[in-house]
Amino acid sequence: MSTDLHHGAAGGEPRNNDVAFEQADVHPATIYWYLGALGVAVVLSYVICIFVLRVTTKIAVDYDTPPPAIRQQMGSAYDALPPEPRLQGVPGHTEDPQEDLRNKRAADVKANETTAWVDQTAGIAQIPVSEAMKIIAEKGLPGAPASAEKK
C-alpha cells in the first residue's frame, strides 16, 4: 500500500487509487422503503388474522351442538344459578361446607354418647357406643353361637 498522498483534481482531497469508499454508507430512501414494506406486511397480517377469526368462528357456530334444555329455559340469563341441589362451596351457595361438617360431626358425637329410650315398651334403648362395646365383649352378640374354646 502506498503511503504517498495523491491529490484529486476536485476539492484537493487526498485520493488513493487502491482504496475506495462510499460517500454515504446508508441511503435513507432504502430504510424508508423497508419501513414501508414492514408496515404493509403488518397491515396484511392483521387483515388475514381477522379473516381467519371470522371463518373459524363461523365454522364453530355451524357445527356447535345446541345447548341443553335447562340452558334454553334460562334464556339469556346466564348469570342465574342452576336449580338445587347444588354442590357446596360454589358461588351462590349460602351454606359453608366446613361449618356443615363440624355440625355433622358434633351431632354424631352427641348421638354416640347419649342414653335414651328408643322404644320403652319393646325394651330398645340407645346407649353410648363405648358401653355397647363393653357389653358385647363380655356377653357376645345375641343370637350368635358361642365360640368354641381352643383345646
Side-chain angles (χ1 to χ4, degrees):
M1 184 152 78
S2 172
T3 57
D4 297 334
L5 292 176
H6 302 282
H7 295 286
E13 291 187 21
R15 290 195 57 129
N16 189 334
N17 291 334
D18 295 336
V19 179
F21 64 95
E22 296 180 21
Q23 294 293 327
D25 290 336
V26 178
H27 297 287
T30 305
I31 293 176
Y32 294 137
W33 276 103
Y34 285 135
L35 288 176
L38 181 64
V40 169
V42 167
V43 169
L44 284 177
S45 65
Y46 179 70
V47 169
I48 289 171
C49 287
I50 290 174
F51 174 73
V52 169
L53 177 66
R54 287 186 180 166
V55 168
T56 54
T57 303
K58 184 180 181 316
I59 290 171
V61 167
D62 289 345
Y63 290 104
D64 197 13
T65 58
I70 187 70
R71 184 64 74 181
Q72 290 175 347
Q73 290 173 358
M74 290 171 60
S76 63
Y78 284 104
D79 57 342
L81 296 174
E84 287 285 348
R86 290 189 293 270
L87 293 176
Q88 289 182 328
V90 298
H93 205 277
T94 57
E95 297 174 9
D96 181 24
Q98 285 79 23
E99 184 66 29
D100 287 346
L101 181 61
R102 286 189 290 270
N103 293 341
K104 182 186 180 326
R105 286 184 178 166
D108 290 346
V109 167
K110 182 180 176 189
N112 285 337
E113 295 177 352
T114 59
T115 303
W117 283 105
V118 175
D119 187 3
Q120 192 170 6
T121 59
I124 300 172
Q126 174 183 344
I127 61 173
V129 173
S130 59
E131 295 297 319
M133 289 172 38
K134 288 177 187 175
I135 293 171
I136 290 174
E138 291 173 2
K139 298 181 180 178
L141 289 173
S147 61
E149 294 183 23
K150 294 183 180 178
K151 296 178 183 181

